[in-house]
Amino acid sequence: MDRAIVYPGAIPVDTDLLRIGKYTKAGIGALADMVYGPGSIAASGLTCTPSSTDLSVMIGAGTITAPSVMDVNTFGGIGGGYEPDKTITTCQYQNESLVRVTIPSSGATYTLFGICSEQDVDPVVLPFFNAANPSQTQAGMNNNGEGLPIRRHAGITFVAATQAPPVPEGSIIVALYTLDIPSNATSLQGIQGQPGKVFWPTIPELATQTLLKAVSTPMQLVETGVSVSIPAWANRVELRVIGGGGGGASSSSISLKGSFSGAGGGAGGDAWGIYHVNTTDGGLLEVSVGYGGTTEQAGGTSLVTYNGQTLLQANGGQGGSFYAPSGSAGASGGTALGGNIWNQIGTFGGDGQAGDACFSGNGGDGPWGGGGRCGANGGRDATRFGSGGGGAYTTVTEGTQSKGGAGYGGCVMYRFLP
């Protein structure tokens, strides 16, 4: 932030003091941009209390921070000061006391607007230097006895209307509250003003309430495809996606000479990460959840997209199968990509038959276990998200098929963060 420099013995001029105010205004604007983001509008305080006796509300003290011009009019006295400065600067406007605002009528939805502008106020008859008689000051400029404003006040006036009214150059209008007034209402008893998006959480609120709530709230579980809206306070989202588990291999033999013992299906991949989101772009999180594979089929892919871009993806585990008439190796787990915490490949399914040797073709466990075990005359289905189905061994009659167990579907979990 700029600061004025003065020197001993130098003759002060009006701009020496005026530029201190300009530097301060610019510095406060830069700080507001750091807190809220450049060009943002923010309101603090300005409580809205509807009347229980008539159609009016009381607006409390508070401030609005909004982008406007540095100075729409000359800043300083006649023949000096600074020329108008149309540079866009984030400005702070203040309401210092309770203000009553009348609602024009009932039977409509009204918006309570704050009109932010600067005015030169507090006229005072100032002493001026008298060149003709330095020992005697003049009362006002040219000794005219007229007062001059000594303060440029950035204030707020309020109006309730169904649409935004026009405002003068250099002013800005901000929608603060909306009120739905029933027909024939004679007071605002029981009516609450709905605050607009300009009321941001304070830093202490974010640190002690929103943040703690966000990090302590369990992640939401999604088992089917869905579109998820982003809450106004969120800037990030934590996501974890699990692919669907693959199905186990079937059996068609009662002898080790044939396809006797099938391998287990692989578990789905597992991707986890935290991503930035923006509440102003209207985007949604589009969630797809992978299905569990049936006998010898791969599981489906789980993924999350945002504004058309895939954030992270977990592919389904492969289905168990026989690579030869009497050979069945465990199915591969699904791959994962896009996670910035981790990308884990799903667990392999257990091996089944390898010639005359037989193994336990259990399904691959998902993150929470649940792989289906191998089973006589049919593999067992998986029981937890992303796990693979068990392989089958033996069949009732040679040449008939006993099916492998089904894989369990994947899932998506999410949690929004400040």
Side-chain angles (χ1 to χ4, degrees):
M1 182 176 117
D2 292 335
R3 291 180 291 168
I5 299 175
V6 296
Y7 298 93
I11 299 173
V13 294
D14 60 334
T15 52
D16 288 333
L17 294 176
L18 293 173
R19 64 195 174 103
I20 293 174
K22 290 177 72 74
Y23 292 161
T24 302
K25 183 175 181 178
I28 292 174
L31 179 61
D33 287 345
M34 291 177 62
V35 174
Y36 297 108
S40 296
I41 299 175
S44 177
L46 303 175
T47 56
C48 176
T49 306
S51 171
S52 61
T53 59
D54 60 17
L55 296 178
S56 69
V57 296
M58 294 295 291
I59 302 299
T63 59
I64 292 176
T65 302
S68 188
V69 298
M70 174 63 79
D71 286 300
V72 69
N73 298 314
T74 300
F75 185 41
I78 300 173
Y82 285 99
E83 294 296 318
D85 184 351
K86 303 300 179 68
T87 303
I88 299 299
T89 305
T90 298
C91 306
Q92 188 178 79
Y93 302 88
Q94 186 174 19
N95 176 52
E96 299 171 338
S97 60
L98 285 171
V99 176
R100 182 179 294 277
V101 181
T102 300
I103 307 299
S105 65
S106 60
T109 298
Y110 285 94
T111 300
L112 183 65
F113 295 99
I115 302 175
C116 305
S117 61
E118 291 189 328
Q119 308 244 340
D120 293 343
V121 298
D122 300 341
V124 173
V125 179
L126 299 171
F128 278 78
F129 179 74
N130 188 345
N133 184 4
S135 65
Q136 182 180 17
T137 59
Q138 295 179 338
M141 184 175 289
N142 299 320
N143 208 28
N144 58 14
E146 294 182 1
L148 293 172
I150 61 171
R151 179 167 63 107
R152 177 157 287 183
H153 175 60
I156 310 171
T157 58
F158 303 96
V159 63
T162 56
Q163 58 184 5
V167 295
E169 181 186 7
S171 300
I172 185 168
I173 188 165
V174 177
L176 298 173
Y177 296 92
T178 56
L179 298 100
D180 291 323
I181 315 298
S183 298
N184 302 319
T186 58
S187 74
L188 301 185
Q189 179 77 37
I191 297 174
Q192 294 294 324
Q194 297 300 313
K197 291 187 176 182
V198 295
F199 290 95
W200 296 58
T202 64
I203 292 175
E205 287 172 340
L206 287 174
T208 61
Q209 296 180 23
T210 307
L211 180 59
L212 290 177
K213 180 180 178 181
V215 299
S216 62
T217 299
M219 296 182 75
Q220 299 296 307
L221 176 66
V222 177
E223 300 182 50
T224 58
V226 68
S227 296
V228 179
S229 300
I230 300 168
W233 55 267
N235 289 303
R236 298 175 299 159
V237 63
E238 180 181 1
L239 295 166
R240 188 175 181 186
V241 297
I242 313 296
S250 60
S251 173
S252 60
S253 176
I254 59 175
S255 166
L256 294 179
K257 303 301 181 183
S259 299
F260 174 75
S261 179
D270 181 355
W272 193 353
I274 297 176
Y275 309 87
H276 287 284
V277 292
N278 186 349
T279 59
T280 62
D281 61 15
L284 300 171
L285 295 176
E286 300 293 346
V287 176
S288 297
V289 179
Y291 51 83
T294 56
T295 300
E296 301 186 357
Q297 299 298 308
T301 296
S302 297
L303 56 87
V304 179
T305 62
Y306 175 59
N307 287 338
Q309 178 182 359
T310 298
L311 298 180
L312 73 176
Q313 175 176 321
N315 296 316
Q318 295 299 305
S321 62
F322 278 85
Y323 63 85
S326 59
S328 183
S332 300
T335 56
L337 62 155
N340 51 37
I341 293 178
W342 71 42
N343 293 295
Q344 295 193 18
I345 297 175
T347 307
F348 279 71
D351 286 343
Q353 186 175 357
D356 291 340
C358 290
F359 305 95
S360 300
N362 296 323
D365 280 336
W368 302 280
R373 71 172 181 83
C374 59
N377 302 322
R380 303 299 186 261
D381 292 342
T383 59
R384 296 184 181 174
F385 294 113
S387 54
Y393 63 87
T394 74
T395 183
V396 176
T397 304
E398 187 80 25
T400 62
Q401 187 182 71
S402 58
K403 294 183 177 181
Y408 205 92
C411 67
V412 172
M413 295 180 291
Y414 70 89
R415 172 170 54 194
F416 289 105
L417 301 170

